[in-house]
Amino acid sequence: MLGSTKIYGCLADPIDHVKAPTIFSSIFKEKNIDAVMIPIHVNKDNLENVINTLKKIKNFQGMTVTIPHKTSIAKLCDYLEQDAEFTQSVNWIKFDKDRKLIANNFDGQGFVNGFLAQNFLIKNKNVCIFGAGGAAVSIACSLANQNIKSLKIINRNVQKANELMKKVKVINKNLSVEVDKYENNFSLYDCNIIINATSLGLHKNDKLPFDVSKTSPDAVIADIIMQPLETDLLKKALDLGRSVHYGKYMIESQIDLAGHFLDLW
């Protein structure tokens, strides 16, 4: 590492599950880019102080943002690009020459691109998403642009789920959207794609977000958690013979988008 090295970060709490620092530092080395990406473990109470401090570090160029800061950090940014503005959720930020904080969100596009790249189909599918936080909002909004047949949103906080439904309806007013409370006896059997966009699965002994045995044998079970690669949810799905989609594909399919956003290539 040289004095000219540019520093990028990955902001999270907890931090153990993040893959971006390893992925991007490897890419920097491969492309001979004088930069590194480091994990930054920050809890929500210190988020604003950390952002204000990073503004003062002139060779700190930007970062990716993950659980649980995606919506909170949107309020601390000076400018939100289109997807971040609409979703009010952020997963990439950079500093301009005046140290103003510019933000965007590639989670939704990243999930869709990664899913399609694994030869799964989205068009005309009944989709269910668990969660209504930052990543769920981005993914649901991107799915609304993909000619899916219907969307079911299941979340503990029904108000947040309803807010997400309104955003989805702005994108696709004709899409059939249903909201259900997490505790209710919801049906999953008619869903072709079921996505865990909650943090359940990050920690050992987390309960499963839903009962995989209540899904159709033809359903695709997707998780956005990257570490562990094979969450308990995906293990259960594989045991029952379901097709699965791993969380790592969401970040991997964002590499090119993020690189252009950060002016790396």
Side-chain angles (χ1 to χ4, degrees):
M1 192 182 300
L2 304 172
S4 59
T5 301
K6 293 178 179 179
I7 303 172
Y8 296 88
C10 178
L11 203 65
D13 180 25
I15 201 77
D16 296 349
H17 66 101
V18 300
K19 291 291 188 183
T22 301
I23 293 170
F24 275 85
S25 291
S26 296
I27 291 170
F28 295 153
K29 186 175 181 180
E30 181 184 305
K31 293 180 176 288
N32 202 28
I33 297 171
D34 187 12
V36 294
M37 181 178 280
I38 59 172
I40 304 174
H41 191 179
V42 181
N43 65 38
K44 62 181 181 180
D45 296 331
N46 290 322
L47 183 61
E48 186 170 1
N49 288 336
V50 168
I51 294 301
N52 288 334
T53 300
L54 292 174
K55 282 186 176 184
K56 298 172 185 176
I57 303 173
K58 292 190 176 180
N59 63 330
F60 192 93
Q61 302 295 304
M63 68 192 103
T64 182
V65 182
T66 188
I67 294 171
H69 302 308
K70 293 184 180 186
T71 52
S72 301
I73 208 164
K75 301 176 181 68
L76 304 176
C77 294
D78 299 292
Y79 177 76
L80 301 179
E81 294 193 352
Q82 186 175 358
D83 285 355
E85 175 69 33
F86 183 77
T87 61
Q88 287 296 300
S89 172
V90 164
N91 82 317
W92 286 96
I93 58 179
K94 65 180 178 182
F95 293 101
D96 69 7
K97 58 182 176 59
D98 300 315
R99 303 304 288 171
K100 297 289 187 183
L101 200 55
I102 316 299
N104 209 337
N105 195 319
F106 304 123
D107 271 341
Q109 195 175 345
F111 178 85
V112 168
N113 291 351
F115 195 81
L116 293 174
Q118 296 304 304
N119 297 316
F120 290 121
L121 301 178
I122 291 177
K123 187 177 180 181
N124 294 325
K125 300 297 184 181
N126 295 313
V127 183
C128 177
I129 189 164
F130 281 77
V137 172
S138 303
I139 293 168
C141 289
S142 289
L143 288 169
N145 273 320
Q146 294 295 315
N147 294 315
I148 60 174
K149 186 175 182 181
S150 69
L151 179 66
K152 183 180 292 189
I153 304 166
I154 298 176
N155 193 55
R156 286 190 180 90
N157 185 325
V158 174
Q159 182 180 344
K160 285 186 71 175
N162 281 320
E163 288 169 2
L164 174 51
M165 178 174 67
K166 289 175 185 175
K167 286 184 183 292
V168 168
K169 282 290 195 178
V170 169
I171 296 169
N172 187 345
K173 65 181 180 181
N174 297 317
L175 180 63
S176 172
V177 185
E178 177 186 352
V179 166
D180 212 333
K181 193 171 182 180
Y182 191 82
E183 289 81 3
N184 288 353
N185 188 25
F186 45 79
S187 172
L188 295 175
Y189 200 82
D190 61 341
C191 300
N192 307 117
I193 303 166
I194 307 168
I195 306 162
N196 175 36
T198 75
S199 60
L200 289 173
L202 272 180
H203 304 103
K204 199 172 183 179
N205 301 322
D206 276 353
K207 67 177 184 179
L208 297 184
F210 56 88
D211 185 348
V212 184
S213 68
K214 292 183 178 180
T215 65
S216 165
D218 298 325
V220 180
I221 312 300
D223 211 328
I224 67 165
I225 290 171
M226 296 168 210
Q227 183 65 32
L229 173 65
E230 205 163 85
T231 59
D232 287 343
L233 175 67
L234 297 185
K235 287 178 183 176
K236 182 66 174 177
L238 288 168
D239 287 346
L240 291 172
R242 306 295 189 265
S243 296
V244 302
H245 182 69
Y246 295 99
K248 68 175 184 175
Y249 297 121
M250 190 169 79
I251 185 67
E252 288 177 359
S253 61
Q254 291 182 53
I255 290 170
D256 192 53
L257 297 168
H260 286 292
F261 172 72
L262 296 172
D263 302 315
L264 287 167
W265 45 74

